[in-house]
Amino acid sequence: MAVANISRAGSSHDLWLPELWTPEVQLATKNKLVIAPLVDDRWNKPALKLGDTIRVPTVTNLTSRTKSVDTAITFETNAESTINITVNTHTYSAIRIEDIAELQTNVNLRAVYTNELAYPIALAIDDSLAALFTGFTTNTVGTAGVNMSDDDMLLAYQKLLEADTEVTPSMTNWVISPKEFAGLYKHDKFITAGKATEMFRDVKPGRGFVGVLYNAGVHVTNNLDASGSGTSATLMHKEAIALVVSRTPRMQTDYDIFHLSDVVVVDAFYGSKEMRDKYGVSILAS
């Protein structure tokens, strides 16, 4: 007579197996958000509260003239204008956690999700800045889906020098994709001591910072807009793009008695604008 074993495959044995939930959680992978620290934030003022438009007056260069004998001088009559930064994007991230959900888990849900709320705000701001790279219409180099050649890099560098920009790692930066970085790492100028990557080594490493190329910092991120079969990267001076956050991300909490839940909301007001077209290079890359 055959006797059945009590085994893992037996349905009756499954009834006695406990399910264990750890107090730790695995958070979703996040993009490295590198762009915001690389742009011009001089118009972020602590007291900025009213209005949705910041008007930045532009001043054109004056000219010199040759003085003729017994002839009156000519005064400049420059027609100035303004660049308007519209601060009308209100973004938020919110959660509502019912009491029963908090009670029946050994994970502190409110603490976990509260720590996560700032990331969607930062991602939205980073997205708005990345979308401006294709707006650098004066200077464009590269081919979508193809790693930059040395000629592409030099041409981008040349474009900024021709625009009289200050090309140093503290003021000018490359923003590229991981795939582009893999191609860049094959370039002798980027990886060999004493070449372009070794210039101005006083730059302070930041998030996504991987080195220096042709006097400009190199930052890698997954958060670039698609362009054909590749991405829209850039080499840009800090003053090419402005970012204004008129309300820095604030957190508000409350208790929702109708849902018997804790409510947590983080929100911010911001706006971004291309300020100097010649100070940025739109790079079609991999």
Side-chain angles (χ1 to χ4, degrees):
M1 178 177 178
V3 179
N5 293 327
I6 297 177
S7 65
R8 175 66 183 88
S11 59
S12 61
H13 181 252
D14 288 347
L15 299 176
W16 306 100
L17 294 177
E19 291 186 353
L20 300 178
W21 287 75
T22 71
E24 292 79 23
V25 298
Q26 178 172 283
L27 299 176
T29 302
K30 298 176 178 61
N31 290 344
K32 288 185 175 66
L33 307 180
V34 307
I35 306 173
L38 308 180
V39 301
D40 197 347
D41 63 354
R42 78 178 86 174
W43 292 281
N44 277 339
K45 306 297 182 182
L48 183 62
K49 294 180 180 179
L50 301 177
D52 66 355
T53 301
I54 297 175
R55 301 187 184 279
V56 182
T58 63
V59 178
T60 54
N61 289 327
L62 301 177
T63 59
S64 64
R65 302 173 188 272
T66 301
K67 177 65 170 68
S68 300
V69 177
D70 294 331
T71 303
I73 64 173
T74 300
F75 294 96
E76 298 295 314
T77 55
N78 291 354
E80 308 296 1
S81 61
T82 62
I83 300 176
N84 299 329
I85 307 173
T86 303
V87 187
N88 61 357
T89 301
H90 188 190
T91 186
Y92 72 92
S93 182
I95 57 168
R96 185 170 63 198
I97 302 174
E98 290 194 11
D99 291 348
I100 192 171
E102 189 73 72
L103 179 65
Q104 293 186 338
T105 178
N106 59 351
V107 176
N108 187 338
L109 291 177
R110 175 168 171 172
V112 168
Y113 283 107
T114 296
N115 288 334
E116 293 294 292
L117 285 174
Y119 175 73
I121 305 297
L123 179 61
I125 293 173
D126 214 63
D127 284 341
S128 72
L129 297 173
L132 296 177
F133 294 168
T134 56
F136 298 139
T137 55
T138 300
N139 304 321
T140 60
V141 302
T143 303
V146 179
N147 286 133
M148 286 187 293
S149 66
D150 198 41
D151 286 341
D152 291 333
M153 299 174 203
L154 282 170
L155 180 57
Y157 186 67
Q158 174 187 331
K159 294 290 187 182
L160 293 195
L161 292 178
E162 289 174 346
D164 290 319
T165 60
E166 180 184 352
V167 184
T168 66
S170 62
M171 297 300 292
T172 304
N173 293 275
W174 305 83
V175 184
I176 61 176
S177 70
K179 187 175 181 180
E180 186 62 40
F181 171 70
L184 181 62
Y185 212 72
K186 300 174 184 177
H187 283 264
D188 180 61
K189 289 184 176 63
F190 185 68
I191 62 175
T192 304
K195 297 296 179 66
T197 189
E198 293 297 312
M199 300 173 126
F200 295 94
R201 272 301 191 179
D202 59 342
V203 63
K204 295 181 179 179
R207 186 167 176 80
F209 173 80
V210 294
V212 179
L213 177 68
Y214 291 124
N215 296 13
V218 181
H219 299 260
V220 177
T221 179
N222 280 309
N223 202 42
L224 293 175
D225 284 2
S227 176
S229 58
T231 59
S232 176
T234 192
L235 171 65
M236 67 174 181
H237 185 276
K238 191 178 186 72
E239 293 183 9
I241 292 175
L243 171 65
V244 176
V245 182
S246 62
R247 173 181 289 165
T248 56
R250 64 172 180 177
M251 178 184 295
Q252 299 184 89
T253 63
D254 203 352
Y255 187 77
D256 183 349
I257 194 172
F258 296 102
H259 291 86
L260 298 179
S261 306
D262 284 318
V263 178
V264 186
V265 181
V266 174
D267 72 322
F269 288 96
Y270 71 92
S272 56
K273 178 75 172 181
E274 179 190 318
M275 302 296 285
R276 296 181 183 269
D277 188 63
K278 292 183 178 180
Y279 275 35
V281 181
S282 176
I283 301 175
L284 302 179
S286 59

